[in-house]
């Protein structure tokens, strides 16, 4: 069971829902359960609506020390394009330095091999990536190797998978209606999700062992920890009701005191989230992903911040050449 504060929060949300769209009942199926089932079933469809388009990516990671001074950071930019029917990620710069042409083409080849392997349901054996060599950045209008062809892959490209990094499945009876809002000019419903199996790898393994009459004490401990992670988690989703489109979600771990080694470090904050953008009329694609992890050590608080932006979505020209690049 959830602790008393979380139970009171759930009761409060149920009362708020009754005052708005009607009471959210815990029994399944409910209107809200049916609604969320449709939302999650449709979340991966948008990327298929156009057969050929390009986008840019900027990824930043930063470690911030006790006084707020950055201790370390890394920033990279990429372009995504379609090659041989698959979305391919092409590196452009690393910390402001252009990627050498040989490294860029090798990275594209490796990414294409990974995409083909994902399509087959497995990952290839790829050697660890070597350090990028510095070189002149790719000029605007340059064509990555092999650009061309229409989209043929059936599995979501990596940038879509990254946006839905929380691969939560439909769970009846775990949603609460929290109100109506306006987000980016769209009327949205705010839904709060209290997961039972958001983290479920070890629990699934435990279920299989029990079905086979086996037991592993160590793995049972991991399964119990996983259940505690679920109880301490809250996911909030903003959904356009007519199209069942998720336009934003956030993830919060409200209490992580049960994690091991708390005598050495204590997790003080764990937040993550994603937003979508209407890149083309009626087509919603990833815009932003963020992660922030705060820990308290003997020397003071440390923050890890990760941020990815996707932008400059554009349809590929008939000639197959890239349109000028701009920041996401």
């Amino acid at each position: 069971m959830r602790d008393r504060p979380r139970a009171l929060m759930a009761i409060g949300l149920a009362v708020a829902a009754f005052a708005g769209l009607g009471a959210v009942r815990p029994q399944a199926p409910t209107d809200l359960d049916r609604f969320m089932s449709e939302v999650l079933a449709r979340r991966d469809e948008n990327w298929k609506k156009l057969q050929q388009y390009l986008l840019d990516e900027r990824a930043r990671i930063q470690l911030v020390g006790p006084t707020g001074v950055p201790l370390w950071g890394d920033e990279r930019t990429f372009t995504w394009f379609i090659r041989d029917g698959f979305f391919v990620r092409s590196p452009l710069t690393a910390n402001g330095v252009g990627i050498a042409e040989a490294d860029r083409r090798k990275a594209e080849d490796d990414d294409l091999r990974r995409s083909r392997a994902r399509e087959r349901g497995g990952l290839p054996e790829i050697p660890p990536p070597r350090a990028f060599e510095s070189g002149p950045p790719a000029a605007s209008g340059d064509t990555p190797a092999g650009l061309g062809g229409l989209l043929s892959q059936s599995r979501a490209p990596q940038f879509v998978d990254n946006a839905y990094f929380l691969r939560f499945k439909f769970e009846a009876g775990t949603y609460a209606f929290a109100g109506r809002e306006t987000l980016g000019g769209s009327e949205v419903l705010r839904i709060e999700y209290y997961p039972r199996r958001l983290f479920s790898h070890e629990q699934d393994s435990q279920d299989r062992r029990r079905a086979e009459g086996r037991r592993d004490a160590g793995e049972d401990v991991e399964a119990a920890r996983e259940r505690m992670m679920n109880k301490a988690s809250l996911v909030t989703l903003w959904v356009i009701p007519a199209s069942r489109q998720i336009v934003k979600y956030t993830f919060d771990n409200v209490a992580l005191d049960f994690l091991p080694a708390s005598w050495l470090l204590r997790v003080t904050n764990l937040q993550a989230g994603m937003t979508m953008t209407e890149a083309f009329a009626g087509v919603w694609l990833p815009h932003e992903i963020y992660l922030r992890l705060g820990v308290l050590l003997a020397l003071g608080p440390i923050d890890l911040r990760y941020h990815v932006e996707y932008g400059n979505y554009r349809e590929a020209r008939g000639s197959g050449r890239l349109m000028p690049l701009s920041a996401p």
Side-chain angles (χ1 to χ4, degrees), residues 134-173:
S134 62
S140 297
D142 279 0
T143 304
L147 176 64
L150 297 178
L151 185 64
S152 63
Q153 69 184 91
S154 60
R155 295 194 58 171
Q158 195 63 51
F159 69 91
V160 174
D161 271 351
N162 289 346
Y164 289 113
F165 58 90
L166 286 180
R167 301 300 297 180
F168 39 85
K169 300 177 182 179
F170 171 70
E171 290 187 78

Side-chain angles (χ1 to χ4, degrees), residues 53-57 78-80 87 159 310-314:
Y53 57 95
L54 315 171
L55 64 143
D56 298 335
E57 173 188 346
F78 306 84
T79 281
W80 290 80
F87 273 103
F159 69 91
Y310 299 104
N312 195 24
Y313 286 96
R314 66 269 189 203

Side-chain angles (χ1 to χ4, degrees), residues 254-272:
V254 296
L256 296 172
D257 295 338
F258 60 87
L259 291 177
S262 56
W263 58 271
L264 179 62
L265 62 86
R266 182 164 63 89
V267 178
T268 58
N269 181 46
L270 176 56
Q271 296 178 321

